[in-house]
Amino acid sequence: MSIQGLDMKFKDYDALLNECVNQKSLRGGQRVQAHMIKTHYHPPVYLRTRLIVLYLKCEVLSDARMVFDEMRERNVVSWTAMISGYTKSGFYSEALSLFVQMLRSGTPGVTGTYPNEFTFATVLTSCTGAHVFEYGRQIHSLIVKSPFELHIYVGSSLLDLYAKAGNIHQARIIFDGLPERDVVSCTAMISGYAQLGFDNEALELFCTLQREGMASNYVTYASIVTAISGLAAFEYGKQVHGHVLRSELSFFIVLQNSLIDMYSKCGNLTYGRRVFEKMPERTVISWNAMLAGYSKHGIGKTVVDLYNRMREENKIKPDSATLLTVLSGCSHGAMENIGLKIFDETMAEKNGVDLSVEHYGCVVDLLGRAGQLERALRFIKEMPFEPNAAIWGSLLGACRVHKNVEVGKIAGDRLLEIEPENAGNYVILCNLYASEGKWDEVRKMRELMKEKTVLKEPGKSWIEFGRTVHTFYASDRLHPRKEEIFSKVRELSDRIKAAGYSPDLSSVLYDVDEEQKEKLLLGHSEKLALAFGMMNVSEAKPIRIMKNLRICVDCHNFAKFVSKVYGREVFIRDKSRFHHIVNGMCLCGDYW
DNA sequence: ATAGGGTTAG
């Protein structure tokens, strides 16, 4: 196409620019712009905006911005296009600052440019991306006064904003208030539930909407698979996977990634690996999800093998999450030296990944697990980050296992400064002091604990059986089969006591007599779930239990004895990893 | 002409 020497007018430029946009031709746009300058043509707002849109489509933000800045006058589309350009590239604060300028713009004495439904939809996304939720709420109040409150695009990003801010209730109110629903608004609601851990609600909404004939796409499925991962609802997950395979959606990498994660979190690494191996194309997330599965199961060797394969294939570059997973996999898998070596190698690499305080935390884990507590302490003092609660907690945990009161006291004091409200910290310190017979210190800790701690999240465990997820709370008085389950726990306890089990009363926080302590221990939700599993799950199958917190020492021991005495295989997924318990032993090596 | 939802790590 040649435009030299022609007498170009609005209509011609418009046609040319349209063609460039369709072909995504950056060079074409630049030639049109050059021609305008050469022939002293002053394009109107419309044509300048078309140029901005073209440059944004070609992902050259700076060129778009240049055209934008040269405009003496702009309309809502020029503003919105520019804001959207910044939002899509993740420059949220630029986008928000433009939005403010937009409201203030206009000739003196005249009000600014008024945002429309396109502007609101995109600017809310910026607020969510930038995590400036208070700002988003202010924009919400502008929207309420505008005619666009019930617009489906605006409503979707608005409910997403509240969901991401953690206010799922408000998100649901907005969702229910929308006059119509479509895939995106429904998916935003479902993923909002899933990301905040309201997995049952996510599943319930998904089922309801499906009955209502809602269309689903791969984003919807990725979100629902995430909810299934949280519940570890293996049977349901397989069903959804089958559905995906029969649809046209199975080629989406994002969806395959979430399936890998789902199977791993259900404790079925074989299925996850099968999805992983069949992928024609992988992203770094595919690798990270697969690695995380083996890491959480404590299978360190496979973590390292897979990581080496990733580096050998040299197609996908490991990122900081990869390294974090590999280091934590080495720690869970008792491969301390290899983990430390990988850390050192990464440090030495020129353009390796960005190391965060969490990576350093993994190294503390590795050193602590290896029993090198003084070295871990030195490492913490020399690292380029301010140590946080996770770092000190990791060191303290290691000190408890290796019974090192000296270093443990240092870690504990720092930890209580940062996190005085966390009861778990006092418990570990109590255990440490008790193991050395320092009863004065134990008493001091108990008093401090009573004074400072706040109620933590209540413990709960669940197990999937007969297409239903059965949930148990500590000393569950509401469960319909409570009598039966409690007596089964008693029965298990009596039988394993004969084989050498003795309840670990020291892990009970409350100041009550020993009999009470044992009763409290027997009421732990994971024991109830285990008893339920023993009553219902066929003997040929492993019992798979999920727990929202970390498993306690006594329940861990209890499960080990049950596995030996009754010859059962037990998986317990807790907050930090999988415990795979067979014949009286756990793959975690009693370190978690 | 300009617009909304998604997967991994601890």
Side-chain angles (χ1 to χ4, degrees):
Chain A
M1 136 183 95
S2 173
I3 55 175
Q4 301 294 323
L6 292 175
D7 181 20
M8 303 290 284
K9 289 277 163 47
F10 175 87
K11 271 178 100 171
D12 303 309
Y13 279 125
D14 185 35
L16 276 172
L17 282 177
N18 264 334
E19 209 180 311
C20 294
V21 169
N22 287 339
Q23 291 173 9
K24 218 177 152 178
S25 162
L26 176 59
R27 270 188 58 83
Q30 286 166 339
R31 276 158 70 189
V32 171
Q33 203 183 353
H35 189 270
M36 288 171 169
I37 293 167
K38 201 174 147 195
T39 57
H40 305 289
Y41 177 75
H42 293 287
V45 176
Y46 179 86
L47 285 183
R48 290 178 196 264
T49 305
R50 291 296 284 157
L51 259 178
I52 291 175
V53 171
L54 171 61
Y55 286 144
L56 289 176
K57 196 169 177 186
C58 298
E59 290 168 68
V60 280
L61 260 169
S62 52
D63 288 18
R65 182 63 192 249
M66 236 182 290
V67 177
F68 180 80
D69 282 342
E70 281 167 6
M71 291 170 82
R72 280 174 44 243
E73 137 186 39
R74 303 168 185 133
N75 63 21
V76 61
V77 181
S78 356
W79 283 103
T80 305
M82 205 59 231
I83 292 171
S84 149
Y86 278 123
T87 305
K88 285 200 177 111
S89 303
F91 297 114
Y92 304 120
S93 51
E94 272 302 325
L96 291 170
S97 128
L98 270 191
F99 179 70
V100 176
Q101 287 176 48
M102 172 185 181
L103 297 178
R104 289 183 185 150
S105 71
T107 39
V110 182
T111 49
T113 313
Y114 202 83
N116 62 16
E117 64 273 40
F118 291 75
T119 326
F120 282 130
T122 191
V123 82
L124 285 170
T125 310
S126 298
C127 294
T128 309
H131 292 262
V132 287
F133 302 118
E134 186 45 46
Y135 207 98
R137 261 186 280 270
Q138 289 178 29
I139 294 176
H140 186 187
S141 67
L142 287 179
I143 293 171
V144 171
K145 287 176 234 155
S146 81
F148 311 116
E149 193 190 356
L150 301 180
H151 188 278
I152 184 115
Y153 280 42
V154 176
S156 307
S157 47
L158 198 51
L159 83 83
D160 186 51
L161 173 97
Y162 282 101
K164 296 260 160 59
N167 191 345
I168 199 68
H169 186 64
Q170 184 61 30
R172 184 63 196 244
I173 289 173
I174 293 163
F175 179 71
D176 287 337
L178 290 175
E180 50 168 340
R181 289 171 174 180
D182 66 1
V183 206
V184 177
S185 56
C186 292
T187 305
M189 195 64 233
I190 290 170
S191 83
Y193 277 131
Q195 281 167 14
L196 289 171
F198 295 107
D199 302 314
N200 283 313
E201 287 81 354
L203 223 58
E204 207 175 305
L205 180 61
F206 177 73
C207 293
T208 309
L209 295 171
Q210 273 214 325
R211 270 198 303 274
E212 290 173 9
M214 173 193 79
S216 302
N217 59 23
Y218 79 98
V219 182
T220 323
Y221 274 99
S223 303
I224 206 62
V225 170
T226 305
I228 294 170
S229 307
L231 291 171
F234 179 58
E235 297 301 327
Y236 196 84
K238 270 197 296 191
Q239 221 177 304
V240 170
H241 187 188
H243 195 83
V244 167
L245 288 176
R246 275 175 263 114
S247 72
E248 341 59 77
L249 303 173
S250 57
F251 300 102
F252 286 95
I253 297 183
V254 168
L255 187 45
Q256 293 174 329
N257 292 346
S258 61
L259 285 167
I260 295 172
D261 181 53
M262 185 270 287
Y263 281 127
S264 301
K265 287 189 175 149
C266 288
N268 195 319
L269 288 170
T270 315
Y271 280 30
R273 184 66 177 260
R274 204 175 293 160
V275 175
F276 178 83
E277 292 300 342
K278 274 168 107 179
M279 289 172 84
E281 211 65 60
R282 303 186 186 99
T283 64
V284 69
I285 294 178
S286 328
W287 288 93
N288 291 353
M290 197 67 250
L291 285 165
Y294 289 108
S295 166
K296 287 234 171 193
H297 279 79
I299 307 176
K301 187 179 178 309
T302 312
V303 172
V304 174
D305 288 348
L306 211 55
Y307 178 63
N308 287 335
R309 176 175 147 200
M310 182 182 186
R311 312 238 313 178
E312 275 157 26
E313 281 185 16
N314 205 17
K315 272 171 78 180
I316 304 291
K317 200 173 151 327
D319 67 3
S320 68
T322 317
L323 188 66
L324 208 56
T325 311
V326 171
L327 293 178
S328 114
C330 289
S331 185
H332 286 318
M335 300 179 73
E336 295 91 339
N337 291 331
I338 294 178
L340 293 171
K341 202 176 121 214
I342 291 174
F343 180 80
D344 286 340
E345 280 168 9
T346 315
M347 287 268 283
E349 269 171 35
K350 277 230 166 68
N351 37 17
V353 301
D354 283 337
L355 295 174
S356 67
V357 67
E358 283 84 10
H359 293 91
Y360 286 83
C362 284
V363 174
V364 174
D365 265 345
L366 288 163
L367 291 170
R369 205 185 152 124
Q372 305 194 29
L373 303 167
E374 278 85 9
R375 195 174 149 203
L377 191 58
R378 254 180 289 135
F379 180 82
I380 293 175
K381 286 181 176 155
E382 285 163 15
M383 68 184 196
F385 288 96
E386 193 60 36
N388 57 21
I391 300 265
W392 292 122
S394 156
L395 184 59
L396 176 60
C399 290
R400 186 198 51 173
V401 175
H402 295 289
K403 299 203 190 334
N404 184 326
V405 176
E406 222 176 297
V407 178
K409 193 167 161 36
I410 298 172
D413 288 347
R414 295 286 91 76
L415 190 56
L416 296 187
E417 278 170 26
I418 304 175
E419 252 189 12
E421 73 286 354
N422 186 340
N425 297 337
Y426 297 90
V427 178
I428 300 174
L429 265 170
C430 280
N431 289 343
L432 178 64
Y433 286 134
S435 70
E436 295 279 301
K438 296 190 185 305
W439 302 112
D440 280 351
E441 298 286 342
V442 172
R443 216 166 300 130
K444 219 158 81 189
M445 283 302 121
R446 284 198 187 282
E447 269 161 35
L448 266 177
M449 184 172 81
K450 253 189 237 161
E451 203 179 303
K452 308 244 174 173
T453 54
V454 293
L455 268 179
K456 54 173 185 170
E457 195 183 347
K460 68 174 177 191
S461 299
W462 63 98
I463 182 169
E464 187 191 34
F465 177 74
R467 286 172 183 250
T468 313
V469 174
H470 300 261
T471 308
F472 300 90
Y473 295 88
S475 306
D476 208 327
R477 262 163 250 139
L478 300 170
H479 199 277
R481 289 168 68 184
K482 58 177 188 287
E483 303 296 341
E484 203 185 336
I485 291 162
F486 279 135
S487 76
K488 185 74 184 176
V489 174
R490 277 267 171 223
E491 181 199 315
L492 293 175
S493 169
D494 290 343
R495 176 112 180 251
I496 64 177
K497 267 183 182 168
Y501 163 77
S502 80
D504 176 20
L505 302 180
S506 76
S507 51
V508 177
L509 306 178
Y510 305 96
D511 204 8
V512 290
D513 65 45
E514 303 223 322
E515 196 182 324
Q516 274 297 317
K517 280 186 181 173
E518 190 180 345
K519 210 169 160 192
L520 282 168
L521 276 181
L522 286 177
H524 279 189
S525 62
E526 50 270 58
K527 293 199 184 78
L528 305 183
L530 180 60
F532 181 88
M534 291 290 285
M535 284 155 56
N536 294 297
V537 177
S538 113
E539 286 192 24
K541 282 186 173 178
I543 298 172
R544 298 172 184 276
I545 296 166
M546 269 63 62
K547 157 118 189 156
N548 64 337
L549 309 171
R550 284 192 177 197
I551 189 173
C552 84
V553 180
D554 185 63
C555 286
H556 193 258
N557 201 26
F558 190 97
K560 288 201 300 187
F561 271 101
V562 168
S563 80
K564 190 174 173 73
V565 171
Y566 291 86
R568 296 292 300 245
E569 185 180 8
V570 183
F571 285 89
I572 303 178
R573 185 186 91 182
D574 78 357
K575 206 172 186 180
S576 81
R577 59 168 294 155
F578 270 95
H579 298 271
H580 184 183
I581 303 168
V582 196
N583 196 24
M585 286 194 293
C586 179
L587 217 68
C588 81
D590 299 340
Y591 194 109
W592 68 92

